[in-house]
Structure formats: C-alpha cells, structure tokens
Amino acid sequence: EAQVTQNPRYLITVTGKKLTVTCSQNMNHEYMSWYRQDPGLGLRQIYYSMNVEVTDKGDVPEGYKVSRKEKRNFPLILESPSPNQTSLYFCASSLEGARGRGYTFGSGTRLTVV
Amino acid sequence: KQEVTQIPAALSVPEGENLVLNCSFTDSAIYNLQWFRQDPGKGLTSLLLIQSSQREQTSGRLNASLDKSSGRSTLYIAASQPGDSATYLCAVLTGANSKLTFGKGITLSVRP
C-alpha cells in the first residue's frame, strides 16, 4: 500500500531532551515536507526537501533540523525541545513537487513537551 | 504571500442537506488546489485535487470547483450524512518550492 509512515504516533518528552520523529514513504517521491498544526494557526510548513541532500526552510523552521540522506526517509529532529513545540506534526510527500498528483500525508505525530 | 481563507470556521447542518464549503486565496498563480478531510486528532485524507487548468472535479457525493482568476474554490457535498462530520481543509500549491498553503479549515457537524 502506498503510504507515508510516521513514528511515533504519540510522544511525551521533557524540555531539552533531543528527539527524532521519523518519516518514510514507499512511493519513490522526490518531494517531502514537514508541517505542524496548532489550534487557531492551522498547518504551517517547517522544512521541505525537493530531493536527496536538498533541504530548505519553510515558514517556521526555528528549533528544528532535518536531513535527507535517502529518498524514502525525511526525519525531523528537535535538538532541544521546548514546550512551544508541543503540536501535531505531519509529514507529506509528493511526486515532482505535487504539481501533478497532489500530496500524501502521514497519520501525524502528537508531541507534548513538558 | 499566499493566504487562504475558509469561512465560516464551523457549520452545523441537518442530515440530508446539500451544502457548500467555501475557500478563497489571494494569489491566483497556483499549480493546483487540494481539498482534505481531517477527523479529530487524525491525519489528512485527500478528497479532491483540481489542477489550475481545470474547473471542477467530482468524487461520489463531492464536487469541487475552481475559479482561479477570482481566487475561489467551493466544495459541494450532496445529501450530507453524519459520517461527513469532520474538518475540511483547502490548500493551494504555489511557487518553485511547491509549497502547500492551508486554510484553517471548516469544522462540519451533520446532525442526525
């Protein structure tokens, strides 16, 4: 089944403890992206990658890192999480920048930082 | 900067009603527009994708239209059911970086 898989689905952590949220897609998509969703603010792009080794900042990149060493994986790294990073996170992928077939989203990761 | 607006933020209708959800965007230079459904605390399910050159797309009881020049899209839901209760998000794709810009969504409640 074609899908974007995120792990973990739920995570509670403490301030300052480094964590990684994994994202993997099995559709051979070039383009991958991370979004966070917050009440009243909607979905906002954190980082995106147009292909292997090519990443760039979205609208809210502060406090996050990403890497794209392989086409299928695009992990989101929080080096020193803070409570304002408590949010629902989504990974998405698309073929050729989504101009043809649109985006496929993962099921989300609900992160709580205490 | 692209901005996407969905009004109202919430809508409650009786079962069986036909309804229209509206979406507007400020920059008409889009590649496509995508409608998503989101159940509480869940992921995004793509409902319909309309390319910039298209006027509408249909899937079952859903029909989405696009008027790119006026910056508007509508999602029409025929014969609404309680199972249609969810948040509906509109998103437009723009720019060389293929960025999706989302509206804040319309939370729909269909009463039995």
Side-chain angles (χ1 to χ4, degrees):
Chain A
E1 180 188 353
Q3 59 185 357
V4 177
T5 303
Q6 293 179 231
N7 280 297
R9 291 293 310 278
Y10 302 93
L11 179 60
I12 301 174
T13 190
V14 297
T15 299
K17 185 176 181 182
K18 180 179 178 180
L19 67 91
T20 298
V21 183
T22 64
C23 174
S24 180
Q25 50 91 6
N26 61 0
M27 296 168 282
N28 201 35
H29 284 172
E30 291 92 2
Y31 193 97
M32 298 185 75
S33 184
W34 277 101
Y35 289 82
R36 61 178 288 174
Q37 185 178 34
D38 301 289
L41 296 176
L43 281 129
R44 295 175 292 167
Q45 190 184 54
I46 303 171
Y47 267 95
Y48 66 95
S49 169
M50 300 186 80
N51 216 324
V52 176
E53 302 293 359
V54 180
T55 64
D56 208 345
K57 297 176 181 178
D59 295 322
V60 288
E62 295 78 19
Y64 304 95
K65 286 176 59 177
V66 293
S67 69
R68 188 89 182 273
K69 294 184 171 60
E70 315 166 83
K71 199 173 189 179
R72 64 183 291 123
N73 295 323
F74 190 44
L76 180 69
I77 303 158
L78 285 72
E79 294 271 2
S80 182
S82 63
N84 66 10
Q85 292 178 297
T86 292
S87 188
L88 181 58
Y89 290 86
F90 290 103
C91 180
S93 74
S94 68
L95 192 64
E96 297 178 355
R99 297 176 194 184
R101 302 186 184 180
Y103 278 89
T104 300
F105 278 77
S107 298
T109 295
R110 184 167 292 282
L111 172 65
T112 302
V113 184
V114 298
Chain B
K1 178 185 174 185
Q2 179 74 267
E3 292 182 2
V4 180
T5 302
Q6 293 183 257
I7 296 173
L11 187 61
S12 179
V13 301
E15 182 177 4
E17 194 163 293
N18 300 325
L19 56 103
V20 173
L21 306 182
N22 293 306
C23 171
S24 63
F25 47 95
T26 54
D27 183 354
S28 63
I30 66 170
Y31 292 115
N32 58 48
L33 183 145
Q34 203 165 354
W35 281 94
F36 294 90
R37 170 184 171 139
Q38 185 178 28
D39 293 292
K42 303 293 187 182
L44 303 177
T45 300
S46 180
L47 298 174
L48 288 164
L49 171 72
I50 311 177
Q51 300 295 343
S52 61
S53 58
Q54 296 175 323
R55 297 286 293 184
E56 64 179 288
Q57 283 288 329
T58 298
S59 176
R61 294 183 294 109
L62 305 179
N63 174 277
S65 68
L66 174 64
D67 184 341
K68 199 174 83 157
S69 61
S70 68
R72 295 178 187 275
S73 176
T74 61
L75 179 66
Y76 175 82
I77 303 177
S80 59
Q81 303 169 357
D84 294 329
S85 298
T87 296
Y88 291 81
L89 295 155
C90 164
V92 295
L93 187 75
T94 55
N97 62 359
S98 292
K99 179 182 173 181
L100 261 186
T101 302
F102 284 85
K104 293 182 181 177
I106 298 174
T107 299
L108 173 66
S109 174
V110 181
R111 307 186 302 271

